[in-house]
Amino acid sequence: MAESDKIKFNSGEYTLSERCVSLRDDVVNIKTEAEATSMQEYFWRRYGRVKFGELHPENRSNILVHAAEVESIIENSSAYIDPRELIVGYNFGDGPYWGYSGNRERDDDLMRKNGFTQEQIDWMFDTTVKDCGYDYWPAPVFGKEIDDLAGEMTVMNSAHPWNLTNNHSVIGYQKIVEKGFSGMLDYVNEYAEKNGDSDFYEALRIVCRAGMKLGKKYAEKAREMGREDIATVCDRVPESGARNLREAIQALWFAHIVNTWEDGINANSVGHLDWILFPYYKHDIDEGLITKQDAFELICCLWLKLYRDYDVQQSCVGGRDENGKSLVNELSYMMLEATEKLDFVRCISVRLDKNTDREFVKKALQVVGRVQKGVPFFFNDDVMIPALESGGISHKDACEYTAIGCVETVIPGKSNPHAVNSRINVLKALEYLVRDESILKYGDFDSLFTAVKEKIDDFTVKTAEMIKLAKPSSDHNNPCPVKSLLTEGCVERGKDFNDSGAKYDYYHVMLMGVPNLADSLAAIKTLVYDKKLYTMEQLVFQLKNNWPDEAMRLDFVNKSPKYGNDIKIVDDIAGEIIEFSCCCMDRESERIGLRMHAQPFTYLWMIEHGAKCMASADGRRDGEILAYSLSPMQGRDREGLTALMNSISSLPTKHTPGTTSAIVEIDPKLFSEENIDCLTDILMTSAAKGISNVQFNTVSLETLLDAQAHPERHMNLAVRVSGFSQKFNLIGKPLQDHIIARTKHACI
């Protein structure tokens, strides 16, 4: 980037308005009236389903029922506006049934607080009302074949039999911002005429017509309150395209809450807001319609709308286009600044590469250090773009990637990632050989490693078969008309989002236990085959009996190389495990005709899978937690931050289009003004070396220990947990212990 092209940014020019300070206090402490809407989504969803069944008793179209549910929520739920707001609309609870407990006394009281009449409450609990629900229609079921396979894989502790994860998407919000629901209705009608009309297109029409009414409802409410500014905006959007920044943000927010009403909030994410909104920002600034401070306040208002205690509604800033041009703009900086000034967990990632403006990377790291909640986190375009291309994504589309939820990658408005779809615990491959003692027959390391890889291959074959067998049921039972409307390929093909309608339809397969398997194999190679300090028979006895010899266990912990310390032998083993697994997935993708994307990521399942794993040769005891994703086993990275970053950077992640995940614990003092330039250099050097994804925790060991002992003193302390940040007092003790045990790097 030429010096003249660099964006001049001064964080001192932006301040939180009194409006945002007041709203922040309410949303963080859950004081807003929005909480009184917790039953509305469930009630009006059910109401729409029942009414559809009454009006169309012979209709068996799931997608029309889903559309009717969304329509009912839009048309019947309350339009609440806080007098302080600039951006309006609430997305209720965390899914279709959030807020409904089934306890009549509790729910009666909650519904009365929601403003429901006694007649409506009685209807809600009337068991004679026939729900026109999913169980009403015949649907493909898994059947004995998949049940048998699921049982076998449960024993393997390798994978799970689902091939669809709802509420993990980034849809094409830009279409609503530019065209509105009325423009999308025209688009639907155009393709219905081309392809022949169907229930699919009628469902999309229902969503469009309902969406056109959403702004009108809020405009009417705003006029009752004397808020003509809100009324003017909502008269326009989301029915029609936005003309300015405020309309663009409001349109995008309305589209987002409609999307969350379809299948829940959770990880439905919003993508490249700096890209989508920048043309409107630039227009308004150039025309003198707003100031930069005005724009900052609007961004803060959107951030306040998105806030939740558990927030994985991810947005992304930065990145480059298909020609290599940086797309960092003033809004990219402004969104980082809003994250810092609001000082709460806002799930935001930064895209960078070796040529990214250094000041932008430095700014992002300063926010990490100042907010101290694990945000933002970082993706490397130099790795992720080639990785996505290896997974069948075109170069242009790969350059548009963003992340959903924790770290899962998606092409916004063009893909269905089937996120966190399946799991393969590669450590189990070695465990199988130990359990049946077949490990004793391998006289050298290469033959043992080959046997381990053969078992990983077997796991991959079964995982692929599970995905293939589960697909028909998922396709039938989970239509998504909102996502279909706003995902390229669906309207054009006349196929639902969850029926392979998206331009890119792929399945994330999580690899877990990679650091543990690499450490175990390196220990066996070093202590059994090379140095011959122990026999394989001795090791098998120790593992089957959960390390009765503590001295031997400590030798396997301390006298063999460990991943995360820039030691080539063990880093190469980890890399070979990943590369082999990816090749197996590529082959199986061809066989079953469904693309699998490798994703070395554990989420929280390193606890569950560790609990089902016997003792391992890395010194881990029976049932202990596994390493998080591609982070070293907690406490094993002893050679400093640079060594750790080198190990992570050495992995073949250009073959993992589902991306990777690594959390690095850094002492807060490394984010000080005297150290931040050095830390920036380390991150940019790591990007040049090939790091894929990295997240930073910045809480000291002393603070974590005090927070565990005295949670009341640290109610707002948040940490990076597992691809997401959460308040420390809200996570369970096993996870707290895991985070405490991670190495805290205090020097470079």
Side-chain angles (χ1 to χ4, degrees), residues 682-698:
I682 288 175
L683 179 55
M684 296 202 70
T685 300
S686 298
K689 287 185 174 182
I691 203 165
S692 176
N693 166 267
V694 66
Q695 306 156 61
F696 297 106
N697 255 335
T698 59

Side-chain angles (χ1 to χ4, degrees), residues 497-534:
F497 178 81
N498 277 332
D499 185 19
S500 305
K503 181 177 182 180
Y504 300 110
D505 194 73
Y506 49 86
Y507 297 79
H508 281 154
V509 178
M510 305 164 75
L511 295 174
M512 50 187 64
V514 172
N516 301 95
L517 179 57
D519 286 354
S520 294
L521 289 171
I524 292 172
K525 183 179 190 305
T526 302
L527 300 179
V528 176
Y529 288 119
D530 294 349
K531 295 184 178 181
K532 302 187 186 304
L533 295 179
Y534 298 99

Side-chain angles (χ1 to χ4, degrees), residues 185-226:
L185 178 59
D186 292 339
Y187 193 68
V188 169
N189 286 332
E190 176 188 345
Y191 276 90
E193 186 174 344
K194 286 181 181 179
N195 297 335
D197 213 347
S198 63
D199 286 348
F200 171 79
Y201 288 116
E202 180 56 28
L204 269 56
R205 290 191 194 99
I206 290 171
V207 168
C208 287
R209 293 177 186 131
M212 289 162 63
K213 299 175 185 177
L214 183 57
K216 305 298 184 185
K217 171 187 289 192
Y218 277 88
E220 181 181 352
K221 180 67 175 179
R223 287 198 169 91
E224 291 176 7
M225 300 172 61

Side-chain angles (χ1 to χ4, degrees), residues 107-250:
D107 290 330
D108 270 12
D109 181 62
L110 186 58
M111 291 184 72
R112 274 190 289 272
K113 289 179 180 178
N114 273 256
F116 287 102
T117 66
Q118 189 60 49
E119 182 182 5
Q120 290 171 323
I121 295 171
D122 291 340
W123 178 86
M124 182 75 169
F125 289 96
D126 186 350
T127 57
T128 66
V129 176
K130 298 301 181 184
D131 234 15
C132 184
Y134 314 120
D135 57 342
Y136 182 79
W137 308 297
V141 294
F142 289 154
K144 185 177 187 305
E145 186 177 9
I146 198 168
D147 287 343
D148 290 346
L149 184 57
E152 182 180 353
M153 297 180 82
T154 299
V155 173
M156 291 187 338
N157 183 224
S158 170
H160 66 121
W162 313 115
N163 87 332
L164 179 143
T165 301
N166 281 344
N167 52 57
H168 279 67
S169 74
V170 180
I171 56 176
Y173 291 112
Q174 195 161 348
K175 294 179 179 180
I176 297 300
V177 174
E178 293 177 355
K179 299 180 180 181
F181 279 106
S182 61
M184 290 308 299
L185 178 59
D186 292 339
Y187 193 68
V188 169
N189 286 332
E190 176 188 345
Y191 276 90
E193 186 174 344
K194 286 181 181 179
N195 297 335
D197 213 347
S198 63
D199 286 348
F200 171 79
Y201 288 116
E202 180 56 28
L204 269 56
R205 290 191 194 99
I206 290 171
V207 168
C208 287
R209 293 177 186 131
M212 289 162 63
K213 299 175 185 177
L214 183 57
K216 305 298 184 185
K217 171 187 289 192
Y218 277 88
E220 181 181 352
K221 180 67 175 179
R223 287 198 169 91
E224 291 176 7
M225 300 172 61
R227 290 293 302 274
E228 189 59 35
D229 60 321
I230 294 175
T232 300
V233 171
C234 293
D235 272 336
R236 174 78 187 184
V237 298
E239 179 179 15
S240 302
R243 300 165 298 186
N244 55 51
L245 181 62
R246 184 170 176 184
E247 287 182 356
I249 292 174
Q250 183 65 72

